[in-house]
Every structure is written in structure tokens, then in C-alpha cells.
Amino acid sequence: MYDIQKIREDFPILSRKVYNKPLIYLDNGATTQKPRCVVESITDEYYSVNANVHRGVHFLSQQATNLHEASRETVRKFINARSTSEIVFTRGTTESINLVAATFVDSQMKEGDEVIVSVMEHHSNIVSWQLQAARKGIVLKVIPMNDRGELLLDEYEKLFSPRTKIVSVAHVSNVLGTINPAKKLVEIAHAHNVPILIDGAQSIPHMKVDVQDLDADFFVFSGHKVYGPTGVGVLYGKEEWLDKLPPYQGGGEMIQNVSFEKTTFNVLPFKFEAGTPDYIGTTALAKALDYVSAIGMDNISAYEHELTVYAMQRLKEIPGMRIFGEAEQKGGVISFLVGNIHHFDMGTLLDRLGIAVRTGHHCAEPLMHRLGIEGTVRASFGLYNTKEEVDALVAGIERVATMFG
Ligand code: PLP
């Protein structure tokens, strides 16, 4: 049973007020709130364990190392990777993509080679590649979509050429909510002998992900979007690929032996983890993953799906409502505009009613160009949102619309 009241009680922030109104937090696509167990894990570890990992012989260092490495195992299990060698801790999705873009382009690509991305990517999955492209003369090719916000698979197929070296696509769009057919995208890339990165920033909090079943070569996500702390994220990479890629940053942890003549590098995954990792954060991330696992990812998906269907239906009752993203497979992200009301005005006035939504281009300007708009209002759901909150959102939008005549 999905005990929504009990779940909400796990998140202290949900009972606070803003402008003397109960907080209705609908900005989960940007970041999620934290359950008590995650926050407590951070203070507990600082209070009772804190010591730098991997390097110490003393008790605390070993305990901190054990916690850190146990968290890697929790992540491995959560996404069903083969081995913890395939789990690299990073600062988040953005750093994970930059790591792959920099090391892959550097070691695997030549001038004139091509990367395929899609029109609905977050800037982090565009600009990371563009930076490398500019340095080395790499070409970006873009998978288009239809007006419902679904990628055109036929067009995707046509983009492959002998110069295509990698594909990098979002699992779920942070603007449209489209759940892309990741398995199919992987299959098509592999049919062309091309590896593929799946950006799981918006999928990992909402659905079960099995990287072996998905068969993607890289899968990346951020801890803070899945009820974990800010500052930690994950790069999953198949061992065969991580082995082929050179180190990203130099420093402690990532080396085996250093001399002025020759330096050798550490084994996976440490080769990619230069410097002191956020070991407090990785423990807290593991707590967050344990938390959602205890509820059950399938239960979370089913609950959020029902909430999204309800919200879509209620929002469409509002006169002048335009929803961007009506894919058949759609997660709990709803972008909209109402009449001629500017997204910023709508967001600001909803905020005064205690409703937190996001406004703007959502770090997806190329997608805004495709849609022919400057920005949207975006409501994005988490596992603790309710139909009553959707009703409050609808009432809030109607009130703002009335104010604007
Ligand atoms: N990719 C997608 C699809 C996102 O939605 C986001 C954040 O909104 C990111 C990447 C970047 O995540 P982060 O800022 O946590 O690195």
C-alpha cells in the first residue's frame, strides 16, 4: 500500500509554510526534497565517523571508507550494474556527462566525427559535447521530434554515418516529460556499432532502471534529484568502455604510482575519482536509494503515473491552457502556458499562493526554439505530491488567469 501520509511525514520541509500558506512543492524536476533519514545520515556521519577515505590506517578512516564503498554497492544494486568497478562517483549528471564527453572525444574521435544528441536535451547534454566539438572539429547531429514531443526514430536511424562515434540522449525530458524509448535507442545505436549514453537525471527518481537490461554503455544521474544530497552523482559505464577512456582529472586517489618520469593510474572506478570524494554525500545518497527502494520503484511509478494523468486532465479543463509535451509515454513533468500570460508572471503569482513551480527555458533553449516559445511554467511531481496539491495548482492557475482577465 502506498501510504502517502506517512511518506509526507518523512519530509519535514513539506509541513512548512511560505507566505503563510502551506508549501506545495512542484519543482521536483529541479531538485527533490530530502527525507529525514538522508539529512540525519549527513549529520550522523559528520558527528561520529568523519575521516578522509581510502588513505588512512586509523579506525575512523576505515569506517568512512567502508561506508563510502558500501554506498557504491548500494548504487550498483539499485541500477543492477555488473560490478562496482562500473560505478564512478561524480558531482552529478553534469559532471558525469562532461567526463564522458571530454575523455571520449579525446581518445575515440577525430576531426569530422559525429555525435548524435536529441532536440530535447538539457544544456548539460549539449554544451558538454559542443565544448569538445569546438576543440576538435566534431559535428553534432540532432534527433528531431514530433509535435507531441516524441523522438522520430526513423530520422534517428538516418543520422548514422560511418563518422558517428557516440549517441547521447535523455531518458526522460525535463521539459516535456517524454519517456524516450531508451531500449530502442540503444538497440539502434548498437546496430550501427555505436555506443550510447543515457542521461537518467529525470528517470532515476521515477522508474526502475536496470542498466544491464537497458544495455546502454553509459548511464548518468544526480543524487539530489532522487531525494539524495546535492553534490554527488553517478556515472555508470560498461567496464570495457571505462577501461578504454583516459583519466578525466589528475590528483590523489586516481593514481597507482607517481614519478616525474612516469605516472600510472588506479584501477576502475578510482581512475576517474581524483581527489577527496564527497564520502558524506555518497552515504546519504545510498540512504536515499534505500528509502525509495523500500517504497518500491514500481509503486512510485504507478502512483506518479496516476497523479500525472489526473493533473493532465484537470489542467486541460482550464480555458486557454496549452500543454507542451503530450507523448504517449509521459512522466510527471508538465510544461504549460495559459493564454498570453507570461510564464514568469504565472510562476511569480503561483509562488505567492505557496505553489513552487519553475519558469523559463529549463536549460533547454534549443527545445524552446523548436516549440517556438521563450519558456514555460513547469510543474514536476515527486513521490510525495497529492491530487489535492494538483487541485490547488489548478485553482491557483485559474485565479491568476482571472487576474489577467
Ligand atoms: N539532464 C537532465 C535531463 C536534467 O533535467 C538535468 C537537471 O535538471 C541535468 C541533466 C543536469 O543535472 P545536474 O544539474 O544535477 O547536474
Side-chain angles (χ1 to χ4, degrees):
M1 209 193 94
Y2 200 87
D3 190 344
I4 186 69
Q5 271 325 314
K6 189 176 163 301
I7 288 172
R8 288 183 67 84
E9 282 163 19
D10 291 334
F11 293 80
I13 205 170
L14 296 181
S15 56
R16 74 159 287 178
K17 292 189 168 173
V18 293
Y19 309 110
N20 225 12
K21 307 237 166 31
L23 169 70
I24 296 179
Y25 186 77
L26 301 176
D27 194 17
N28 295 284
T31 199
T32 51
Q33 300 303 344
K34 315 307 167 198
R36 202 174 267 108
C37 62
V38 167
V39 181
E40 283 172 357
S41 153
I42 296 168
T43 48
D44 286 353
E45 193 170 346
Y46 272 126
Y47 282 147
S48 60
V49 182
N50 183 46
N52 208 334
V53 292
H54 294 142
R55 293 166 224 177
V57 290
H58 63 80
F59 185 88
L60 289 188
S61 177
Q62 289 184 18
Q63 210 176 1
T65 304
N66 291 344
L67 282 171
H68 182 61
E69 290 308 317
S71 305
R72 202 186 301 277
E73 169 60 17
T74 302
V75 173
R76 183 205 67 74
K77 236 169 81 191
F78 190 71
I79 60 173
N80 193 33
R82 280 169 210 83
S83 146
T84 49
S85 303
E86 299 180 319
I87 307 297
V88 178
F89 284 124
T90 64
R91 283 195 303 120
T93 306
T94 301
E95 188 174 57
S96 298
I97 298 174
N98 274 276
L99 189 162
V100 175
T103 58
F104 191 95
V105 171
D106 190 42
S107 63
Q108 311 292 320
M109 296 182 78
K110 293 202 264 308
E111 188 179 344
D113 282 346
E114 297 160 359
V115 178
I116 296 179
V117 297
S118 90
V119 68
M120 62 175 79
E121 297 311 313
H122 186 278
H123 291 164
S124 61
N125 199 24
I126 299 171
V127 185
S128 311
W129 296 104
Q130 278 177 334
L131 288 175
Q132 303 305 325
R135 218 166 43 79
K136 218 166 171 180
I138 305 290
V139 181
L140 249 69
K141 289 183 153 181
V142 183
I143 312 168
M145 66 177 200
N146 64 24
D147 290 339
R148 289 193 303 277
E150 295 161 326
L151 293 180
L152 299 174
L153 295 185
D154 292 349
E155 298 298 320
Y156 170 50
E157 285 253 29
K158 286 186 209 151
L159 294 180
F160 285 88
S161 84
R163 304 302 305 263
T164 310
K165 292 294 185 290
I166 190 164
V167 178
S168 193
V169 184
H171 199 173
V172 173
S173 160
N174 66 315
V175 177
L176 308 166
T178 308
I179 303 171
N180 286 319
K183 248 182 120 160
K184 190 82 200 154
L185 295 167
V186 171
E187 257 173 51
I188 292 172
H190 287 174
H192 291 86
N193 280 322
V194 172
I196 175 165
L197 179 151
I198 299 290
D199 170 358
Q202 297 293 341
S203 62
I204 203 82
H206 307 293
M207 61 180 74
K208 192 176 252 168
V209 171
D210 178 331
V211 290
Q212 290 191 62
D213 180 54
L214 190 59
D215 202 27
D217 302 275
F218 304 98
F219 184 91
V220 300
F221 67 92
S222 299
H224 71 97
K225 291 190 199 281
V226 58
Y227 311 99
T230 52
V232 290
V234 171
L235 160 63
Y236 156 82
K238 282 185 184 168
E239 215 164 327
E240 57 178 291
W241 274 113
L242 293 181
D243 268 335
K244 272 186 223 171
L245 302 182
Y248 178 49
Q249 293 177 329
E253 301 277 345
M254 52 77 70
I255 49 86
Q256 211 160 42
N257 292 107
V258 179
S259 75
F260 286 113
E261 290 70 40
K262 182 176 168 60
T263 291
T264 53
F265 303 120
N266 208 338
V267 294
L268 291 176
F270 309 107
K271 179 173 94 173
F272 293 107
E273 294 182 352
T276 300
D278 184 355
Y279 53 86
I280 304 279
T282 55
T283 308
L285 171 60
K287 282 279 187 291
L289 299 183
D290 285 342
Y291 178 83
V292 291
S293 298
I295 299 173
M297 290 313 296
D298 288 340
N299 295 332
I300 293 171
S301 291
Y303 178 81
E304 291 182 352
H305 177 70
E306 196 184 315
L307 194 62
T308 306
V309 170
Y310 178 72
M312 286 290 281
Q313 175 216 322
R314 290 283 344 259
L315 287 167
K316 283 182 183 172
E317 291 164 8
I318 299 172
M321 172 61 68
R322 276 198 298 161
I323 290 177
F324 300 91
E326 301 225 37
E328 192 137 337
Q329 299 296 320
K330 182 177 166 80
V333 178
I334 305 181
S335 274
F336 61 88
L337 289 171
V338 181
N340 293 324
I341 306 171
H342 196 273
H343 50 85
F344 183 73
D345 293 334
M346 177 63 83
T348 307
L349 291 165
L350 287 174
D351 175 53
R352 288 283 156 169
L353 301 171
I355 304 169
V357 291
R358 188 145 289 246
T359 66
H361 55 58
H362 315 296
C363 294
E365 283 193 57
L367 176 58
M368 294 299 130
H369 298 155
R370 163 65 178 81
L371 296 170
I373 54 177
E374 275 177 25
T376 72
V377 184
R378 181 187 75 180
S380 52
F381 303 126
L383 56 85
Y384 36 60
N385 289 122
T386 63
K387 285 186 180 166
E388 290 72 30
E389 289 181 315
V390 171
D391 291 340
L393 171 69
V394 171
I397 295 168
E398 281 169 341
R399 195 163 152 192
V400 175
T402 311
M403 283 167 62
F404 278 82

